[in-house]
């Protein structure tokens, strides 16, 4: 287990050691979240690295990463715990076969921790030998308002209540990272309990650093062309703009094909590694790809 970093620069360096390249603005809010013990709320377009920062923090600090993937209809019970119904039924059948079972004692046994299945929120509030875990509440904007209301209490007191067992409080609060793709507005009351940061698409130089860290086998020339082309794509009217994650995936596709430099043909053949909707692929393939590539090379030549 690694100690919490003592400065912003140490935080940025700690993340960089895990190949997570970020600017001082994100490094500052991450440092303050760790130092003050407040949840970190990251909002931005899909694929800009919101989820990855939680993974990088867990790896850098030597903590366990516990992920709660949010979805429509997620309720508090599903996020906290459930009872192992199958094991309970086996225990009941065994007690019945043995005969003379004490119903009160059997009920207490059935609703003990031996039959409890811990879901992410409860698991994050358990003691861990390596220190408080990193709890990633991913894509919280996909949940419903009742679940948000539940999170208000959970993140304020770091405790949950199980009717059969009582209230369970975290001995030490977990490190909490919430992410949102802003498919809907998250309630202000939840945001007020967090430190907030909007994660932008990176600049050209920053994205070059990221590609060097994640795809070191790519040449400088190819990396520059990839990033210039992708950043050109981000100005187009697409259903889903490619993020940093797509840039990395596309670079790996091109390396696997022994690509030395971009061409309209190789771009059209590999657009499925960069764009995820057929309408976008159809729109960009062919002449549009040539135009965006020419504009990207013009920008590179002028820098």
């Amino acid at each position: 287990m690694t100690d919490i970093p003592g400065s912003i620069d140490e935080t940025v360096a700690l993340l960089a050691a895990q190949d997570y390249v970020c600017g001082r603005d994100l490094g500052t809010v991450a440092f303050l979240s760790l130092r003050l013990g407040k949840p970190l709320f990251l909002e931005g377009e899909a694929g800009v690295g919101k989820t990855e920062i939680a993974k990088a923090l867990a790896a850098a600090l030597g903590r366990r990463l516990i992920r709660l993937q949010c979805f429509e209809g997620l309720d508090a019970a599903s996020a906290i715990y459930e009872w192992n119904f199958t094991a309970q039924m086996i225990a009941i059948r065994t007690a019945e076969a043995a005969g003379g079972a004490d119903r009160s004692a059997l009920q207490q046994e059935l609703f003990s921790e031996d039959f409890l299945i811990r879901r992410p929120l409860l698991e994050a509030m358990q003691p861990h030998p390596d220190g408080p875990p990193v709890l990633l509440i991913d894509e919280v904007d996909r949940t419903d308002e009742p679940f948000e209301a539940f999170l208000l209490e959970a993140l304020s007191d770091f405790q949950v209540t199980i009717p059969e067992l009582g209230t369970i409080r975290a001995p030490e609060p977990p490190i909490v990272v919430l992410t949102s793709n802003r498919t809907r507005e998250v309630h202000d009351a939840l945001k007020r309990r967090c430190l907030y940061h909007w994660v932008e698409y990176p600049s050209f130089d920053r994205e070059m650093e990221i590609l060097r860290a994640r795809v070191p086998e790519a040449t400088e020339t190819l990396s520059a062309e990839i990033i210039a082309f992708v950043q050109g794509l981000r100005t187009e009217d697409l259903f889903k703009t490619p993020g940093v994650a797509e840039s990395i995936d596309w670079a790996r596709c091109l390396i696997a094909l022994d690509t030395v430099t971009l061409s309209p043909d190789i771009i059209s053949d590999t657009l499925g590694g960069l764009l995820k909707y057929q309408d976008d692929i159809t729109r960009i393939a062919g002449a549009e790809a040539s135009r965006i590539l020419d504009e990207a090379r013009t920008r590179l030549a002028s820098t």
Side-chain angles (χ1 to χ4, degrees):
M1 182 177 71
T2 303
D3 292 335
I4 297 298
S7 68
I8 297 168
D9 290 338
E10 285 183 25
T11 304
V12 172
L14 198 72
L15 293 170
Q18 302 300 319
D19 292 337
Y20 188 92
V21 179
C22 70
R24 189 174 178 83
D25 53 350
L26 180 52
T28 298
V29 73
F31 165 71
L32 291 173
S33 173
L34 294 171
R35 174 56 63 90
L36 301 177
K38 290 182 70 69
L40 175 60
F41 191 104
L42 300 176
E43 209 165 34
E45 299 293 337
V48 293
K50 303 183 299 295
T51 299
E52 288 298 317
I53 193 171
K55 296 178 181 179
L57 283 173
L61 297 173
R63 309 292 179 89
R64 182 181 173 189
L65 175 67
I66 299 174
R67 181 173 182 170
L68 174 61
Q69 181 61 55
C70 297
F71 54 88
E72 186 177 352
L74 176 66
D75 60 10
S78 301
I80 301 172
Y81 76 102
E82 65 178 306
W83 293 107
N84 190 333
F85 179 72
T86 302
Q88 286 175 324
M89 291 302 298
I90 292 172
I92 291 171
R93 296 287 181 261
T94 302
E96 289 175 345
D102 184 331
R103 291 176 62 88
S104 178
L106 178 59
Q107 184 174 5
Q108 287 186 344
E109 179 186 349
L110 290 176
F111 292 100
S112 66
E113 293 207 14
D114 292 339
F115 294 90
L116 185 68
I117 299 175
R118 295 181 180 87
R119 293 307 184 197
L121 288 180
L122 180 57
E123 188 63 34
M125 295 183 187
Q126 302 296 304
H128 292 266
D130 296 329
V134 175
L135 172 62
L136 169 61
I137 304 175
D138 210 13
E139 298 184 335
V140 69
D141 54 314
R142 294 184 180 274
T143 61
D144 304 318
E145 290 190 5
F147 186 76
E148 275 191 46
F150 160 73
L151 281 180
L152 292 177
E153 178 186 356
L155 297 182
S156 295
D157 302 326
F158 292 104
Q159 67 180 31
V160 294
T161 299
I162 299 175
E164 299 85 353
L165 298 178
T167 299
I168 298 174
R169 181 186 293 270
E172 293 183 80
I175 298 167
V176 182
V177 178
L178 300 95
T179 74
S180 167
N181 293 336
R182 209 175 187 180
T183 57
R184 70 169 178 86
E185 287 294 336
V186 175
H187 200 280
D188 288 345
L190 180 58
K191 288 184 176 181
R192 282 199 300 270
R193 283 160 174 79
C194 309
L195 295 178
Y196 176 87
H197 186 76
W198 175 267
V199 184
E200 297 275 6
Y201 288 118
S203 65
F204 179 88
D205 291 339
R206 182 79 63 201
E207 200 159 2
M208 276 291 287
E209 289 184 61
I210 294 170
L211 211 58
R212 288 190 194 105
R214 294 303 182 93
V215 194
E217 60 271 32
T219 64
E220 287 287 305
T221 299
L222 180 60
S223 296
E225 286 189 344
I226 289 170
I227 294 166
F229 183 84
V230 171
Q231 294 197 345
L233 271 183
R234 289 177 187 149
T235 65
E236 300 294 316
D237 183 19
L238 299 175
F239 185 78
K240 169 63 178 69
T241 303
V244 180
E246 284 78 21
S247 297
I248 294 169
D249 285 346
W250 193 42
R252 288 171 176 159
C253 291
L254 294 171
I255 292 299
L257 295 173
D258 297 323
T259 305
V260 176
T261 186
L262 291 182
S263 68
D265 288 342
I266 196 67
I267 291 171
S268 295
D269 290 344
T270 58
L271 275 176
L274 188 60
L275 301 174
K276 307 304 178 182
Y277 289 89
Q278 181 57 33
D279 288 349
D280 289 344
I281 292 174
T282 301
R283 182 178 181 280
I284 296 301
E288 280 297 291
S290 298
R291 177 185 64 79
I292 296 170
L293 179 59
D294 288 343
E295 290 174 356
R297 284 177 169 157
T298 299
R299 290 195 302 274
L300 288 173
S302 64
T303 58

